[in-house]
Amino acid sequence: MVEKVLVLVGTKKGLFIAESDGARKSWALRGPYCEHWPINHAIADPETGTIYAGGGSEWFGPAVWKSDDLGETWTHSSDGLAYEEGKEPVSQVWSLARRNGTLYAGVQPAGLFSSRDSGKSWSHMEGLQKHPTRPDWNPGGAGLILHSLVPDQEDEGRIWVGISAAGVFGTDDGGKTWETRNKGTRADFLPEDQRYPDFGQCVHNIVKAPGMKDRLYQQNHCGMYRSDDAGRSWVSIEGGLPSTFGFPAAAHPRDPDTLFLLPLNGDSKGRYMPDAACAVYRTRDAGKTWQDLRNGLPQENAYFGVLRQAMATDSLDKAGVYFGTGGGALFASNDEGDSWTAIANHLPAIHSVETAVVRT
């Protein structure tokens, strides 16, 4: 069996795949795939090697692409990726996730769909749209997007979603009913006496920690947070970070206390690296303290941003960490962030980064 590490890179102009062996010292890049459609998120099933890529636009419409041969050939479907007549149409797919035999898709305007036939057809999970807060969800500046999609791999009933700018929602019954999960997260853009609403926070990314049933992390428009009760309450972990603003978060594959963040310099300051010097921040103690990781990253003129889904870890030991920039650079670390290498440059704007370790 040959072990391959795949880094799936969703971009403004299609999907790219960076490939290496288990050492992760040299990389080959291929693509673009998906006929140059904008790809917002891509995932791979490590057991089968099947790759799914979600995207689209107001021109193309929404679709989920599928490859059963590691990207050599592709099909795509949008069958069922639509709301009922009279509602604002689905414009694109923003997030994908798998659990057992079900594939999930988060879309814009914010909603959740599922497929039980590997993406050939889709069904709307209507419970989320029926939440009583739905008429008051705020599209914010970028549109009403379900961008974070976290099914609990050990509990069929539990799913968490992040919606900008409506907040975090969770279900314990497979999507029939949903709860707001935002207690303790700020909305600094509201009047001071309204800064902790039940919903309406601009969550940027949520991830689940491994090995702890109820631990989640999130990076928000207004702070960084940890929850130890499945999102029902959150505590700030932004102390020691250079900013309270950023987009991506990536959990360690085995250690629930280790998290990687990439803060930016602030909402109104350009949304680039603090002091134009790139650093990934790592905690080993669940957010009590942070270490800035800079070895191999540009420390001058780093005026780029990193989007909410453009950072990921792999499952190897030591864990690899990867992120892609709005300027089309893809960085990789094979030692949990201690050192970094640019493994691709000059790609289209990178929307998402995910990994898979497959054996062929």
Side-chain angles (χ1 to χ4, degrees):
M1 300 288 284
V2 178
E3 188 174 67
K4 292 183 178 181
V5 181
L6 304 181
V7 181
L8 309 177
V9 187
T11 81
K12 185 178 180 180
K13 299 179 181 180
L15 177 74
F16 293 79
I17 300 175
E19 184 176 304
S20 183
D21 59 19
R24 299 161 295 175
K25 292 183 178 179
S26 62
W27 294 85
L29 184 72
R30 47 194 174 91
Y33 300 118
C34 307
E35 298 181 7
H36 301 91
W37 281 37
I39 297 299
N40 295 317
H41 194 214
I43 61 174
D45 182 342
E47 299 299 322
T48 65
T50 300
I51 300 171
Y52 300 94
S57 69
E58 292 182 357
W59 292 98
F60 294 108
V64 175
W65 294 76
K66 177 185 176 183
S67 173
D68 289 319
D69 51 16
L70 299 182
E72 295 301 320
T73 60
W74 294 84
T75 59
H76 70 84
S77 175
S78 58
D79 182 17
L81 280 172
Y83 295 132
E84 54 267 34
E85 187 175 350
K87 284 195 172 184
E88 184 179 352
V90 174
S91 61
Q92 50 190 312
V93 173
W94 274 92
S95 53
L96 295 170
R98 276 186 64 85
R99 179 172 60 193
N100 297 331
T102 302
L103 183 65
Y104 298 94
V107 304
Q108 179 184 7
L112 184 61
F113 289 76
S114 64
S115 171
R116 297 188 180 275
D117 56 11
S118 298
K120 294 178 183 177
S121 62
W122 296 87
S123 298
H124 182 207
M125 298 175 67
E126 297 180 352
L128 182 61
Q129 288 253 328
K130 290 180 178 178
H131 195 274
T133 63
R134 175 62 183 91
D136 298 316
W137 290 359
N138 181 359
L144 195 62
I145 297 169
L146 196 159
H147 51 70
S148 291
L149 174 50
V150 186
D152 190 328
Q153 298 299 325
E154 298 178 356
D155 186 332
E156 291 285 341
R158 301 208 304 176
I159 306 171
W160 298 270
V161 299
I163 300 172
S164 291
V168 176
F169 293 78
T171 178
D172 292 323
D173 58 13
K176 296 181 182 67
T177 60
W178 295 79
E179 299 174 347
T180 56
R181 303 272 177 98
N182 300 294
K183 183 179 180 181
T185 56
R186 301 190 310 275
D188 290 339
F189 41 82
L190 295 178
E192 188 170 353
D193 61 348
Q194 301 174 28
R195 296 248 168 112
Y196 291 88
D198 184 48
F199 70 98
Q201 288 86 340
C202 190
V203 56
H204 282 174
N205 194 17
I206 55 173
V207 294
K208 189 177 186 302
M212 291 186 70
K213 180 177 175 60
D214 292 333
R215 175 169 288 178
L216 301 169
Y217 293 101
Q218 73 160 287
Q219 190 156 208
N220 194 288
H221 195 105
C222 306
M224 292 72 167
Y225 302 93
R226 186 190 76 241
S227 172
D228 293 320
D229 59 5
R232 290 181 173 85
S233 64
W234 298 84
V235 296
S236 171
I237 56 171
E238 61 203 48
L241 293 170
S243 167
T244 60
F245 179 91
F247 287 100
H252 190 278
R254 290 171 297 278
D255 181 2
D257 290 338
T258 297
L259 178 73
F260 301 89
L261 295 181
L262 217 160
L264 302 181
N265 65 349
D267 178 25
S268 61
K269 298 180 180 180
R271 299 188 177 192
Y272 54 79
M273 298 294 141
D275 301 319
C278 184
V280 173
Y281 282 76
R282 180 181 66 200
T283 181
R284 297 287 200 187
D285 53 15
K288 296 183 180 67
T289 61
W290 294 91
Q291 178 185 7
D292 57 321
L293 310 171
R294 301 176 182 270
N295 184 19
L297 296 175
Q299 296 303 294
E300 294 182 341
N301 301 317
Y303 293 102
F304 52 75
V306 177
L307 296 179
R308 56 172 55 91
Q309 291 169 292
M311 188 177 188
T313 57
D314 68 31
S315 61
L316 295 181
D317 185 19
K318 296 182 173 181
V321 191
Y322 311 84
F323 70 90
T325 75
L330 178 64
F331 291 92
S333 169
N334 64 1
D335 54 13
E336 304 198 352
D338 289 336
S339 61
W340 296 87
T341 302
I343 62 174
N345 284 293
H346 314 304
L347 297 178
I350 294 174
H351 295 163
S352 68
V353 173
E354 293 287 0
T355 70
V357 179
V358 299
R359 290 167 179 84
T360 59

